[in-house]
Amino acid sequence: MKKRGFSGVRPTGRLHIGNYLGAGKNYVAMQDEYDCVYCIVDLHALTTLADTDKLQSNIYEAFLDLLAAGIDPQKAVIFVQSHVPEINELFTLLSMATPLSWLLRVPTFKEKARMHPQNVNYGLVGYPVLMAADIVLYKGEVVPVGEDQLPHLELAREIVRRFNEHFGETFREPQAKLTNFPMVVGLDGKDKMSKSLGNHIELAATAEETTKRVMSAVTDPTRKLRSDPGHPKACNVFKLREHFDPECITQLEEDCRMARIGCVDCKRALAEAINCDLAPLRARRISLAANPEYVRQVMLDGAMKAQVIARQTLDEVKSKMGLI
Ligand code: ADP
């Protein structure tokens, strides 16, 4: 029997190349070898989203991005988290097996609480429990995620261990699966590429938008003049070219160190390489967007398939916990 792969993406906007290189590529690659379940985790978005006016369109856009990236609904289950309400029940049940102290020491919680002291809601503290519930509701064993999610996944493993100890062996401890680019730095050259920081390139951006964004990217901060030798290993644009332009990277490294190429030309080449790499995805996205009935149908079918798994798990959990 194939192992179950599970992962989720928050609908906080369209997906960016960090999501794609850090996790999405594995979503697609895993479809044949694993029995995959992927979802748009809209409830997670509510933990930080004060304004929900755009939530429905963000869900739809992120769903389109996943399909355009190559998720095949014939191979993988793809759906929207809240369309399967069993998640709420499992979230409540798992929260009974999770010490509050574990949640209060999660670094991302502390960081978000520091940044938005006026919006430290109960759901935000429970975010890792909801994430653990997502994974185990669908009996996920292998979880493709970016490096930033590893602490949350570790916590999910602890919750699973504790649940199993208390109520008997029920879940496998989920394992992370990283891509070869598990942490994509944003165009500012310092922070994680992220929608909320505005340092990203959307998968669905046009070629022109992409070029404009790439041309604004920060390169080697020590290289002030075109004639200064560059330090490719300290340059985020070089790192992205390693991924998008692998065949010319040895030559580029030398040219940069010898100041034979300037940052502007290097960025122009990166923009071209990204546009070329993403062209098929973007073309698929345009044709999917022209067929919203199909996309809605995939969403409905996905939720129906996911619910079958979810109900089975929930019955098992309720029986283990003495509820039935
Ligand atoms: P975001 O962080 O952009 O709000 P999500 O939290 O929904 O996106 O992340 C969806 C997936 O993309 C997760 O597996 C996450 O680890 C991965 N991911 C997000 N940003 C990056 C990044 N800059 N580099 C690598 N992976 C990332």
Side-chain angles (χ1 to χ4, degrees):
M1 218 169 87
K2 287 180 180 173
K3 279 191 179 174
R4 171 75 39 82
F6 175 89
S7 201
V9 174
R10 284 184 309 152
T12 43
R14 288 172 168 183
L15 303 195
H16 53 76
I17 63 172
N19 301 131
Y20 183 51
L21 304 184
K25 282 216 161 182
N26 267 344
Y27 293 5
V28 179
M30 285 171 61
Q31 293 181 106
D32 290 317
E33 197 184 331
Y34 296 86
D35 177 11
C36 293
V37 178
Y38 298 125
C39 67
I40 303 295
V41 287
D42 51 350
L43 296 169
H44 282 278
L46 289 180
T47 60
T48 51
L49 209 67
D51 172 9
T52 54
D53 289 358
K54 292 209 184 97
L55 188 55
Q56 282 308 311
S57 75
N58 285 349
I59 292 169
Y60 188 75
E61 295 285 322
F63 202 83
L64 267 186
D65 282 327
L66 288 184
L67 290 178
I71 298 205
D72 177 353
Q74 304 299 324
K75 294 182 183 169
V77 176
I78 170 165
F79 70 105
V80 177
Q81 181 190 31
S82 70
H83 294 181
V84 181
E86 281 75 7
I87 185 60
N88 301 304
E89 204 168 344
L90 188 61
F91 176 40
T92 303
L93 298 178
L94 273 197
S95 71
M96 309 303 175
T98 310
L100 181 60
S101 60
W102 290 4
L103 301 174
L104 293 176
R105 63 170 194 247
V106 170
T108 45
F109 167 67
K110 288 203 236 169
E111 173 67 9
K112 283 180 179 157
R114 197 181 55 77
M115 283 171 66
H116 307 283
Q118 74 295 354
N119 190 22
V120 184
N121 58 64
Y122 176 59
L124 183 65
V125 190
Y127 183 110
V129 186
L130 183 56
M131 175 167 155
D134 281 321
I135 299 169
V136 300
L137 184 59
Y138 301 102
K139 298 264 175 147
E141 294 175 68
V142 179
V143 184
V145 279
E147 200 175 272
D148 59 308
Q149 288 296 334
L150 292 180
H152 291 152
L153 197 63
E154 193 45 49
L155 192 47
R157 290 158 59 83
E158 285 179 47
I159 295 171
V160 161
R161 277 201 289 278
R162 195 174 167 105
F163 186 95
N164 287 345
E165 271 163 29
H166 273 257
F167 302 108
E169 201 61 26
T170 311
F171 304 118
R172 299 238 172 95
E173 281 181 40
Q175 312 282 337
K177 189 170 174 72
L178 298 180
T179 65
N180 58 7
F181 206 161
M183 171 55 80
V184 179
V185 171
L187 298 174
D188 53 8
K190 45 181 213 286
D191 293 310
K192 181 188 97 145
M193 184 175 283
S194 165
K195 287 160 259 186
S196 52
L197 296 175
N199 60 1
H200 61 299
I201 299 172
E202 289 180 352
L203 289 176
T206 62
E208 294 70 34
E209 281 161 1
T210 304
T211 306
K212 205 164 152 209
R213 303 283 293 155
V214 172
M215 295 315 283
S216 74
V218 173
T219 53
D220 171 6
T222 64
R223 197 175 180 198
K224 303 279 181 238
L225 298 172
R226 167 74 172 72
S227 52
D228 290 343
H231 304 87
K233 296 292 177 208
C235 175
N236 189 38
V237 168
F238 181 82
K239 180 127 181 72
L240 288 166
R241 283 196 70 184
E242 273 184 314
H243 180 84
F244 285 104
D245 235 352
E247 53 299 325
C248 72
I249 208 69
T250 317
Q251 183 65 46
L252 174 66
E253 185 167 3
E254 197 186 312
D255 288 349
C256 176
R257 284 190 201 287
M258 310 291 289
R260 285 195 296 247
I261 180 173
C263 296
V264 171
D265 288 341
C266 186
K267 288 196 270 189
R268 201 165 285 127
L270 173 63
E272 261 175 44
I274 294 177
N275 285 332
C276 182
D277 188 85
L278 294 182
L281 182 155
R282 288 170 171 170
R284 274 196 300 276
R285 198 182 193 285
I286 289 170
S287 40
L288 283 162
N291 197 350
E293 297 78 27
Y294 167 77
V295 177
R296 294 277 170 210
Q297 195 56 49
V298 171
M299 238 183 223
L300 283 176
D301 291 347
M304 265 168 27
K305 289 185 205 158
Q307 194 166 41
V308 173
I309 311 172
R311 285 191 171 152
Q312 265 176 4
T313 308
L314 201 54
D315 277 353
E316 186 187 352
V317 170
K318 285 165 83 173
S319 137
K320 292 252 168 84
M321 294 182 87
L323 289 168
I324 46 177

